[in-house]
Amino acid sequence: RDAKRQQLLITHINYGNVQAMENLFFQMQELTADADLSYVQDACINLLALVVNRLGEYDIVTYQEVKELASYVRIASSKTAEEAFRQTLQMLRAITVYMGQRSDAAQGDIIEKAKQYINDNYNKDITLFSVADYIFLSPAYFSRLFKEKVGENFKDYLVRIKLEHATRLLQSGHYKIFEISQIVGYKSTKYFYRLFKSYYGCTPNEFRQNWQMKGETDDDGRK
C-alpha cells in the first residue's frame, strides 16, 4: 500500500500537479504523526530520494535539476518532526513546479519509453498494467495518457504492432503460419487467423499469396 501511495505521489509530481501532491503528502504524513523525530527524518529522506531517483530515470538532465532541489541535510538537521515534514513538503513542491514546467515534454518522453518497451516486448505476455508499472504510472492514468498522445488505446496499439510484425514475417516467406502466430505472441493459431482477417480483410495465407503475386508482377514489370 505504501508503494502505491509513493507511485501515485511520483505521478502527481511528474505532471506538475501541486495540489494533488500536497493532498497525498498530508495523508502520508498522518500515518506517521505519532512517530519520533529520527523515524520521520528517515522516512522523509527516503521518500525524497525515491522521488529524485525515479524522476531521474527518464533523463540525466531531469536527475541533475531535481537533485539540486533536494537537500537531505536540511531534513536531517530538523529539530522536530513537524519541521522535517515542512522541509520535505517545500522541496517536493519545488520539484513538482519544475516538473510541471516541462510536463508536456515529460509526457511525450514517457509515452515514447512505453512505446519502445512495447515494441521490444510485443511477443511476450505484456499488459497495460505491466507497461504502466514499467514507467511508474497508475494503469488508469497511463491508459488515458496513452490514448491522448498516441491516438489509439493500448490494446489496439499492441495488436497493431503484433500484426505489423506478422506481416513482415509473412513477406519473408521463411515461416509457417503457426510459427508466426507463436513468434508474435499468440499461442492460438485460430485466434491469430481470426484477428488477422478482421484487421487486414484477408487470412495470413491470402496475404502471403497476394504479396508473392505482387512481387512477381513487379519483377515482370522490371523485365
Side-chain angles (χ1 to χ4, degrees), residues 38-77:
S38 60
Y39 180 89
V40 170
Q41 287 173 325
D42 288 343
C44 288
I45 289 173
N46 289 337
L47 177 62
L48 192 60
L50 177 66
V51 169
V52 171
N53 290 330
R54 285 287 179 85
L55 294 177
E57 288 181 4
Y58 297 117
D59 62 77
I60 189 64
V61 175
T62 298
Y63 177 75
Q64 291 170 342
E65 294 288 341
V66 171
K67 189 176 180 181
E68 289 182 5
L69 296 171
S71 173
Y72 306 121
V73 174
R74 283 167 56 192
I75 298 174
S77 302

Short mmCIF file of all heavy atoms in Angstrom, two decimals, residues 38-77:
data_model
loop_
_atom_site.label_atom_id
_atom_site.label_comp_id
_atom_site.label_asym_id
_atom_site.label_seq_id
_atom_site.Cartn_x
_atom_site.Cartn_y
_atom_site.Cartn_z
N SER A 38 13.58 10.84 14.61
CA SER A 38 14.52 10.10 13.76
C SER A 38 13.79 9.25 12.72
O SER A 38 14.23 9.15 11.56
CB SER A 38 15.43 9.21 14.61
OG SER A 38 14.66 8.25 15.33
N TYR A 39 12.67 8.68 13.11
CA TYR A 39 11.88 7.87 12.17
C TYR A 39 11.33 8.76 11.05
O TYR A 39 11.39 8.40 9.87
CB TYR A 39 10.74 7.18 12.89
CG TYR A 39 9.87 6.33 11.99
CD1 TYR A 39 10.18 4.99 11.75
CD2 TYR A 39 8.75 6.87 11.34
CE1 TYR A 39 9.40 4.21 10.91
CE2 TYR A 39 7.97 6.11 10.49
CZ TYR A 39 8.30 4.78 10.28
OH TYR A 39 7.53 4.01 9.44
N VAL A 40 10.79 9.92 11.43
CA VAL A 40 10.24 10.84 10.45
C VAL A 40 11.33 11.34 9.50
O VAL A 40 11.13 11.42 8.28
CB VAL A 40 9.56 12.04 11.15
CG1 VAL A 40 9.19 13.12 10.14
CG2 VAL A 40 8.31 11.57 11.89
N GLN A 41 12.49 11.66 10.04
CA GLN A 41 13.60 12.12 9.19
C GLN A 41 13.99 11.05 8.18
O GLN A 41 14.18 11.35 6.99
CB GLN A 41 14.80 12.49 10.06
CG GLN A 41 14.63 13.78 10.85
CD GLN A 41 15.75 14.02 11.83
OE1 GLN A 41 16.29 13.07 12.42
NE2 GLN A 41 16.12 15.28 12.03
N ASP A 42 14.13 9.83 8.65
CA ASP A 42 14.48 8.72 7.74
C ASP A 42 13.41 8.54 6.67
O ASP A 42 13.73 8.35 5.49
CB ASP A 42 14.66 7.42 8.53
CG ASP A 42 15.93 7.40 9.36
OD1 ASP A 42 16.83 8.23 9.09
OD2 ASP A 42 16.03 6.57 10.28
N ALA A 43 12.13 8.59 7.09
CA ALA A 43 11.04 8.40 6.14
C ALA A 43 11.02 9.50 5.10
O ALA A 43 10.83 9.24 3.90
CB ALA A 43 9.70 8.35 6.89
N CYS A 44 11.23 10.74 5.53
CA CYS A 44 11.23 11.87 4.60
C CYS A 44 12.41 11.82 3.64
O CYS A 44 12.27 12.08 2.44
CB CYS A 44 11.24 13.19 5.38
SG CYS A 44 9.68 13.57 6.20
N ILE A 45 13.57 11.49 4.15
CA ILE A 45 14.77 11.39 3.30
C ILE A 45 14.60 10.27 2.28
O ILE A 45 14.92 10.43 1.09
CB ILE A 45 16.03 11.17 4.17
CG1 ILE A 45 16.35 12.46 4.93
CG2 ILE A 45 17.21 10.74 3.30
CD1 ILE A 45 17.47 12.29 5.95
N ASN A 46 14.09 9.12 2.74
CA ASN A 46 13.88 8.00 1.82
C ASN A 46 12.86 8.34 0.74
O ASN A 46 13.03 7.98 -0.42
CB ASN A 46 13.42 6.76 2.60
CG ASN A 46 14.53 6.17 3.45
OD1 ASN A 46 15.71 6.37 3.18
ND2 ASN A 46 14.16 5.45 4.50
N LEU A 47 11.79 9.05 1.13
CA LEU A 47 10.78 9.43 0.16
C LEU A 47 11.35 10.41 -0.86
O LEU A 47 11.14 10.26 -2.07
CB LEU A 47 9.59 10.08 0.88
CG LEU A 47 8.47 10.62 -0.03
CD1 LEU A 47 7.85 9.48 -0.84
CD2 LEU A 47 7.41 11.33 0.79
N LEU A 48 12.09 11.39 -0.40
CA LEU A 48 12.69 12.38 -1.29
C LEU A 48 13.68 11.72 -2.23
O LEU A 48 13.72 12.02 -3.43
CB LEU A 48 13.37 13.47 -0.46
CG LEU A 48 13.80 14.74 -1.20
CD1 LEU A 48 12.60 15.42 -1.83
CD2 LEU A 48 14.50 15.69 -0.24
N ALA A 49 14.48 10.80 -1.71
CA ALA A 49 15.46 10.09 -2.55
C ALA A 49 14.75 9.25 -3.61
O ALA A 49 15.21 9.18 -4.77
CB ALA A 49 16.34 9.21 -1.68
N LEU A 50 13.64 8.63 -3.22
CA LEU A 50 12.87 7.83 -4.17
C LEU A 50 12.35 8.70 -5.30
O LEU A 50 12.44 8.34 -6.48
CB LEU A 50 11.71 7.14 -3.46
CG LEU A 50 10.76 6.33 -4.36
CD1 LEU A 50 11.49 5.13 -4.95
CD2 LEU A 50 9.54 5.87 -3.57
N VAL A 51 11.81 9.86 -4.95
CA VAL A 51 11.28 10.79 -5.95
C VAL A 51 12.38 11.22 -6.91
O VAL A 51 12.22 11.18 -8.14
CB VAL A 51 10.65 12.02 -5.27
CG1 VAL A 51 10.36 13.12 -6.29
CG2 VAL A 51 9.38 11.63 -4.52
N VAL A 52 13.52 11.63 -6.37
CA VAL A 52 14.64 12.09 -7.19
C VAL A 52 15.11 11.00 -8.15
O VAL A 52 15.31 11.23 -9.34
CB VAL A 52 15.81 12.56 -6.30
CG1 VAL A 52 17.06 12.84 -7.16
CG2 VAL A 52 15.43 13.82 -5.52
N ASN A 53 15.27 9.80 -7.62
CA ASN A 53 15.79 8.70 -8.44
C ASN A 53 14.80 8.25 -9.51
O ASN A 53 15.19 7.98 -10.65
CB ASN A 53 16.18 7.52 -7.55
CG ASN A 53 17.40 7.81 -6.70
OD1 ASN A 53 18.26 8.59 -7.09
ND2 ASN A 53 17.48 7.22 -5.52
N ARG A 54 13.51 8.19 -9.14
CA ARG A 54 12.52 7.76 -10.12
C ARG A 54 12.38 8.78 -11.25
O ARG A 54 12.33 8.42 -12.43
CB ARG A 54 11.16 7.56 -9.44
CG ARG A 54 11.08 6.29 -8.59
CD ARG A 54 10.99 5.05 -9.46
NE ARG A 54 10.93 3.85 -8.65
CZ ARG A 54 9.79 3.34 -8.14
NH1 ARG A 54 8.64 3.96 -8.36
NH2 ARG A 54 9.82 2.24 -7.43
N LEU A 55 12.30 10.04 -10.89
CA LEU A 55 12.18 11.08 -11.92
C LEU A 55 13.44 11.12 -12.77
O LEU A 55 13.39 11.40 -13.97
CB LEU A 55 11.94 12.44 -11.27
CG LEU A 55 10.60 12.62 -10.53
CD1 LEU A 55 10.53 14.00 -9.90
CD2 LEU A 55 9.42 12.41 -11.46
N GLY A 56 14.58 10.85 -12.15
CA GLY A 56 15.84 10.89 -12.87
C GLY A 56 16.05 9.75 -13.83
O GLY A 56 16.95 9.80 -14.68
N GLU A 57 15.20 8.72 -13.74
CA GLU A 57 15.35 7.59 -14.66
C GLU A 57 14.99 7.95 -16.10
O GLU A 57 15.37 7.25 -17.02
CB GLU A 57 14.47 6.42 -14.18
CG GLU A 57 15.01 5.75 -12.92
CD GLU A 57 14.15 4.60 -12.48
OE1 GLU A 57 13.17 4.27 -13.18
OE2 GLU A 57 14.44 4.01 -11.43
N TYR A 58 14.26 9.05 -16.28
CA TYR A 58 13.85 9.43 -17.63
C TYR A 58 14.99 10.08 -18.41
O TYR A 58 15.16 9.83 -19.59
CB TYR A 58 12.62 10.34 -17.57
CG TYR A 58 11.44 9.63 -16.97
CD1 TYR A 58 10.86 10.07 -15.78
CD2 TYR A 58 10.91 8.50 -17.57
CE1 TYR A 58 9.78 9.40 -15.23
CE2 TYR A 58 9.85 7.82 -17.02
CZ TYR A 58 9.28 8.27 -15.85
OH TYR A 58 8.22 7.60 -15.30
N ASP A 59 15.76 10.93 -17.76
CA ASP A 59 16.93 11.51 -18.43
C ASP A 59 17.83 12.18 -17.40
O ASP A 59 17.40 12.55 -16.32
CB ASP A 59 16.52 12.51 -19.53
CG ASP A 59 15.75 13.69 -18.97
OD1 ASP A 59 16.41 14.57 -18.39
OD2 ASP A 59 14.53 13.73 -19.11
N ILE A 60 19.09 12.33 -17.75
CA ILE A 60 20.12 12.82 -16.84
C ILE A 60 19.88 14.29 -16.47
O ILE A 60 20.19 14.72 -15.36
CB ILE A 60 21.54 12.63 -17.43
CG1 ILE A 60 22.61 12.93 -16.38
CG2 ILE A 60 21.72 13.50 -18.66
CD1 ILE A 60 22.60 12.00 -15.20
N VAL A 61 19.32 15.07 -17.41
CA VAL A 61 19.06 16.48 -17.12
C VAL A 61 18.04 16.62 -16.00
O VAL A 61 18.22 17.40 -15.07
CB VAL A 61 18.57 17.22 -18.39
CG1 VAL A 61 18.17 18.65 -18.04
CG2 VAL A 61 19.66 17.22 -19.46
N THR A 62 16.97 15.84 -16.09
CA THR A 62 15.96 15.86 -15.05
C THR A 62 16.56 15.48 -13.71
O THR A 62 16.30 16.11 -12.68
CB THR A 62 14.81 14.90 -15.39
OG1 THR A 62 14.19 15.31 -16.60
CG2 THR A 62 13.76 14.87 -14.27
N TYR A 63 17.38 14.44 -13.71
CA TYR A 63 18.01 13.98 -12.46
C TYR A 63 18.84 15.09 -11.83
O TYR A 63 18.74 15.36 -10.63
CB TYR A 63 18.87 12.76 -12.73
CG TYR A 63 19.62 12.27 -11.49
CD1 TYR A 63 18.94 11.59 -10.49
CD2 TYR A 63 20.98 12.52 -11.34
CE1 TYR A 63 19.60 11.16 -9.36
CE2 TYR A 63 21.64 12.09 -10.21
CZ TYR A 63 20.96 11.41 -9.22
OH TYR A 63 21.61 10.98 -8.10
N GLN A 64 19.64 15.76 -12.64
CA GLN A 64 20.51 16.82 -12.11
C GLN A 64 19.71 18.00 -11.59
O GLN A 64 20.01 18.55 -10.52
CB GLN A 64 21.49 17.27 -13.21
CG GLN A 64 22.52 16.21 -13.57
CD GLN A 64 23.32 16.58 -14.80
OE1 GLN A 64 22.93 17.43 -15.58
NE2 GLN A 64 24.46 15.93 -14.97
N GLU A 65 18.67 18.37 -12.33
CA GLU A 65 17.84 19.51 -11.92
C GLU A 65 17.08 19.20 -10.64
O GLU A 65 17.03 20.03 -9.72
CB GLU A 65 16.86 19.88 -13.04
CG GLU A 65 17.50 20.41 -14.30
CD GLU A 65 18.07 21.81 -14.12
OE1 GLU A 65 17.67 22.50 -13.17
OE2 GLU A 65 18.91 22.22 -14.94
N VAL A 66 16.48 18.04 -10.58
CA VAL A 66 15.69 17.67 -9.41
C VAL A 66 16.57 17.47 -8.19
O VAL A 66 16.22 17.86 -7.07
CB VAL A 66 14.88 16.38 -9.70
CG1 VAL A 66 14.21 15.85 -8.43
CG2 VAL A 66 13.82 16.66 -10.77
N LYS A 67 17.76 16.90 -8.40
CA LYS A 67 18.67 16.66 -7.29
C LYS A 67 19.08 17.97 -6.61
O LYS A 67 19.24 18.03 -5.38
CB LYS A 67 19.91 15.91 -7.78
CG LYS A 67 20.82 15.42 -6.65
CD LYS A 67 21.98 14.60 -7.21
CE LYS A 67 22.87 14.10 -6.08
NZ LYS A 67 24.02 13.33 -6.60
N GLU A 68 19.22 19.03 -7.40
CA GLU A 68 19.60 20.33 -6.84
C GLU A 68 18.49 20.92 -5.97
O GLU A 68 18.75 21.76 -5.12
CB GLU A 68 19.95 21.29 -7.97
CG GLU A 68 21.27 20.95 -8.67
CD GLU A 68 21.61 21.96 -9.75
OE1 GLU A 68 20.88 22.96 -9.88
OE2 GLU A 68 22.62 21.75 -10.46
N LEU A 69 17.26 20.48 -6.19
CA LEU A 69 16.13 20.98 -5.41
C LEU A 69 15.92 20.20 -4.12
O LEU A 69 15.08 20.58 -3.30
CB LEU A 69 14.84 20.92 -6.26
CG LEU A 69 14.83 21.81 -7.51
CD1 LEU A 69 13.60 21.50 -8.35
CD2 LEU A 69 14.86 23.28 -7.14
N ALA A 70 16.66 19.12 -3.96
CA ALA A 70 16.50 18.26 -2.78
C ALA A 70 17.71 18.40 -1.86
O ALA A 70 18.85 18.30 -2.30
CB ALA A 70 16.34 16.81 -3.21
N SER A 71 17.44 18.64 -0.58
CA SER A 71 18.52 18.75 0.40
C SER A 71 18.24 17.81 1.57
O SER A 71 17.40 18.10 2.42
CB SER A 71 18.64 20.19 0.92
OG SER A 71 19.58 20.26 1.98
N TYR A 72 18.94 16.69 1.57
CA TYR A 72 18.74 15.72 2.65
C TYR A 72 19.29 16.26 3.97
O TYR A 72 18.80 15.92 5.05
CB TYR A 72 19.42 14.40 2.29
CG TYR A 72 19.00 13.85 0.95
CD1 TYR A 72 19.92 13.63 -0.07
CD2 TYR A 72 17.65 13.57 0.69
CE1 TYR A 72 19.53 13.14 -1.30
CE2 TYR A 72 17.25 13.09 -0.54
CZ TYR A 72 18.20 12.87 -1.53
OH TYR A 72 17.80 12.40 -2.76
N VAL A 73 20.29 17.14 3.88
CA VAL A 73 20.91 17.71 5.08
C VAL A 73 19.90 18.55 5.85
O VAL A 73 19.84 18.52 7.08
CB VAL A 73 22.13 18.57 4.70
CG1 VAL A 73 22.68 19.28 5.95
CG2 VAL A 73 23.22 17.71 4.07
N ARG A 74 19.07 19.30 5.12
CA ARG A 74 18.07 20.14 5.78
C ARG A 74 17.07 19.29 6.56
O ARG A 74 16.65 19.66 7.65
CB ARG A 74 17.34 20.99 4.73
CG ARG A 74 18.16 22.19 4.26
CD ARG A 74 17.56 22.82 3.03
NE ARG A 74 16.17 23.20 3.23
CZ ARG A 74 15.35 23.57 2.23
NH1 ARG A 74 15.82 23.58 0.98
NH2 ARG A 74 14.12 23.92 2.48
N ILE A 75 16.72 18.16 6.00
CA ILE A 75 15.79 17.28 6.71
C ILE A 75 16.46 16.66 7.92
O ILE A 75 15.89 16.61 9.02
CB ILE A 75 15.28 16.16 5.76
CG1 ILE A 75 14.52 16.77 4.59
CG2 ILE A 75 14.38 15.19 6.53
CD1 ILE A 75 14.10 15.76 3.53
N ALA A 76 17.70 16.22 7.74
CA ALA A 76 18.44 15.60 8.84
C ALA A 76 18.72 16.58 9.97
O ALA A 76 18.92 16.19 11.12
CB ALA A 76 19.74 15.00 8.32
N SER A 77 18.74 17.88 9.63
CA SER A 77 19.03 18.92 10.63
C SER A 77 17.77 19.43 11.34
O SER A 77 17.86 20.30 12.22
CB SER A 77 19.75 20.10 9.97
OG SER A 77 20.95 19.68 9.35
#
